[in-house]
Amino acid sequence: MIVRDKSNVFKLLFAWKGTILPKVLPALSFVVLISACVVWLSYYHWIQIPTVPAIGFTIFGVILSICTGFRNNACYDRWWEGRKLWGALIANARHIVRDSHVLSNEQREHLIHQVLIFSNLLRDRLRQQTVEPTKFLEHAYLNNSSLNYLNEHINAPQFVLENIQKDLVKALKDGEISDIIYGTLTRHIVELGNIQAGCDRIAGTPLPYSYSVLLHRAVYCFCFILPFSLEAALGIWTPLIVGLIAYMFLGLDALSAQIEEPFGLQENDLPLDSIVRLIERESLSSLGQPLPPIIEAQDNNLL
């Protein structure tokens, strides 16, 4: 995620890093070049440039704007839902830290570290990264066989939640916790499972491919025929006006494709590493254990 000061209007106007401009610049340059060629050929009367009827082009533009706006809203909803789910993960981790004070020190430490492993595994699952929970191997009471099983398990975060639930059931049967405490902690574990299910739903069900391709093609066709419709009215201003209009349509198309998958490593994706580190620092602070360093934004990009 790009993190930078938005109060400076001048810097925002000429920002490059983290914007969508680098991704659409080749297509945008090609559209502007076509516009310049159309103006040049028309000015010297070397060739008769066909003019696209304004009424048909206007209707096409209005329909395309509505459809593009709908897709952009749908993609942003996916991004925002992902952010809310990870915000709920932070909240539930804090609830567990508070409510686990009724457990023994050993049980509480074990539970909190299991939650930390779950957070790391969920991030790695969504980003399709290698599972690396080794840093919590000692504190979470995992042995090498369990660690290998995490790497091979079809759903490693779910496996961790199962282990947490088994520990709570065992503590309840042994009389170490009451049914009220068991119910309270179980609700938090259930919510962690719901959060994972919500994230899996976003990651596993993108927008329909045919719909995205249809709009993508429509946007590019619109931008490429735009100079032929505006040249007669705009003259030498055609490349500039066409470039601005094309930047909006091409930019929205590219931005929608980027935020459609909010859990990746692109510049506008959610900073899952930073969120996981926040959970780690707050949880370990409650245990009185050494804290890992804060993840700082590198070149205004927070992972």
Side-chain angles (χ1 to χ4, degrees), residues 1-245:
M1 172 183 285
I2 295 299
V3 180
R4 63 188 311 159
D5 181 21
K6 298 180 182 179
S7 61
N8 192 316
V9 179
F10 183 81
K11 288 184 178 180
L12 283 179
L13 185 61
F14 294 97
W16 177 265
K17 177 69 175 180
T19 67
I20 207 66
L21 183 58
K23 298 184 181 300
V24 301
L25 186 59
L28 182 61
S29 301
F30 187 63
V31 171
V32 173
L33 178 61
I34 292 178
S35 302
C37 291
V38 169
V39 172
W40 184 63
L41 293 174
S42 177
Y43 181 79
Y44 287 102
H45 304 286
W46 284 9
I47 189 173
Q48 184 66 33
I49 303 297
T51 302
V52 179
I55 182 64
F57 197 78
T58 302
I59 295 175
F60 183 20
V62 171
I63 296 175
L64 182 59
S65 298
I66 295 174
C67 294
T68 302
F70 173 78
R71 178 172 182 253
N72 189 66
N73 288 337
C75 293
Y76 183 78
D77 283 343
R78 292 168 56 85
W79 186 93
W80 184 243
E81 184 183 2
R83 180 62 188 91
K84 289 192 294 183
L85 288 170
W86 276 84
L89 179 59
I90 295 175
N92 273 274
R94 291 170 177 171
H95 295 330
I96 292 174
V97 168
R98 290 195 305 269
D99 293 341
S100 61
H101 278 288
V102 297
L103 304 175
S104 66
N105 291 336
E106 182 179 353
Q107 289 175 326
R108 182 169 183 264
E109 179 182 351
H110 180 44
L111 173 61
I112 291 177
H113 278 279
Q114 291 276 36
V115 173
L116 297 184
I117 289 181
F118 170 81
S119 302
N120 281 270
L121 291 176
L122 180 58
R123 176 205 57 203
D124 294 340
R125 174 182 173 86
L126 296 175
R127 288 183 169 176
Q128 299 180 352
Q129 298 177 156
T130 303
V131 175
E132 295 182 355
T134 53
K135 58 183 176 179
F136 295 114
L137 180 60
E138 178 181 353
H139 297 288
Y141 307 99
L142 291 174
N143 52 39
N144 290 329
S145 61
S146 298
L147 183 60
N148 293 332
Y149 188 66
L150 282 179
N151 285 278
E152 299 172 357
H153 200 278
I154 190 174
N155 191 340
Q158 174 64 20
F159 174 68
V160 173
L161 294 183
E162 288 180 9
N163 285 339
I164 295 176
Q165 194 67 41
K166 290 177 182 178
D167 292 339
L168 293 177
V169 171
K170 183 178 183 302
L172 176 63
K173 290 182 177 180
D174 293 343
E176 298 175 354
I177 60 175
S178 66
D179 55 345
I180 297 177
I181 296 174
Y182 171 80
T184 300
L185 294 176
T186 296
R187 281 195 295 271
H188 298 320
I189 305 307
V190 170
E191 185 59 27
L192 292 180
N194 292 336
I195 291 170
Q196 181 190 347
C199 292
D200 285 342
R201 182 181 67 251
I202 295 174
T205 54
L207 292 181
Y209 175 75
S210 57
Y211 180 74
S212 298
V213 171
L214 174 63
L215 283 181
H216 182 73
R217 290 172 176 170
V219 165
Y220 274 77
C221 289
F222 177 84
C223 292
F224 288 148
I225 65 176
L226 190 59
F228 299 96
S229 177
L230 300 181
E231 186 276 331
L234 299 178
I236 62 174
W237 293 99
T238 301
L240 176 61
I241 303 301
V242 168
L244 292 175
I245 297 175

